[in-house]
Amino acid sequence: MQKQDIDRILAELDALSCKTQKEVEEARVRFLGKKGSITALFDEFRTVDKDLKKEFGRPLNELKQTAQTKIESLKESIGGEGAAEVPGIDMSMPGDTMELGSRHPVSIVRQEIVDIFRKFGYDVAEGPEVEDDYHVFEALNFPPNHPARDMQDTFFVSSGHPNPLLLRTHTSSVQVRTMEKMGLPIRVICPGRVFRNEAISARAHCIFHQVEGLYIDENVTFADLRQAILLFAREMFGPETQIRMRPSYFPFTEPSAEVDVSCNICHGKGCNICKGTGWLEILGCGMVDPNVLEASGIDSKKYSGFAFGMGLERIAMLKWRVNDLRHYFENDMRFLEEFATSVKEF
Ligand code: DAH
């Protein structure tokens, strides 16, 4: 090894100029690649004796440093122009456009319902999707052998103990959690996802969405419930909308009712959506059963309240006349794009 070898390469580096990234890469290989001239000097360096090592170690490292810096600066100074010469890439071509997505119909309906009840002074409450038996059934006055607790309806996460974990089958569980932790009076709606072990069809799915409502105060009556639902229905389906209530049964409300709205498609004349009746069922509701109030520590002598629950997919189906529930879950762009502009219109 000789001093001239190092000087010669330094001079070559000094004179080096490149026009394209390809030339820079070739120069890098020539100097620093596996068979490059600097690499060869390092190989040679390994075999020289101790005295020479002292003499050449430092200049050799400096040489390598100089080469790396030079290559880097050439790479940067050529920049994109050189890249344009990479075969197959034409930097002057227009880029791919990114399409904007739109909100899902179920989200649109949920937001509308939340906005309507916010105007009436309701807060929004949420609860866990993985719940326990107590909050989904027991605190809601479900009798011990009620079929809703059966394996056929409920997805259990754990079993074999008195309060198993499960996927909530309705958002009524959030009522219980709200009563447990919120001071009175209570005025909340609870939107959320629910799960039932159902065969998937045009009318049923194992995952769907509900909105629960709960109002508890002194002197709340069935008339208040009826008025709240009527105002909601008119905001949601138009100012001409009528409602009717039919007696029903839910373990957690007494009395209970199901609510129909006048069919806004045929306006009562009878069509295939309302099956000729002029009415469409939209929700279940009732006065909160005193047992449910007491289970969450609320004095049922002093307080009363009402609750209601509705399926979001069902409301969305009525709103947009969608005839198959499965459309909501299949992420078919042709279906989803239909809702891109319908956020506020109805
Ligand atoms: N939880 C009921 C269901 O999933 C819906 C419901 C009915 C909720 C009546 C209520 C109610 O709060 O009062 O079918």
Side-chain angles (χ1 to χ4, degrees), residues 40 89 97 114 138 154 181 210 297 312 315 321:
I89 299 181
T97 48
V114 167
E138 200 177 322
T154 308
K181 62 170 194 270
Q210 290 186 334
L312 287 182
I315 305 275
R321 294 167 218 180

Side-chain angles (χ1 to χ4, degrees), residues 170 172 175 196 210 212 250 252-253 284-286 307-309:
H170 54 180
S172 305
Q175 274 190 32
R196 286 185 200 174
Q210 290 186 334
E212 189 78 14
F250 301 101
F252 36 93
T253 43
C285 62
F308 54 87

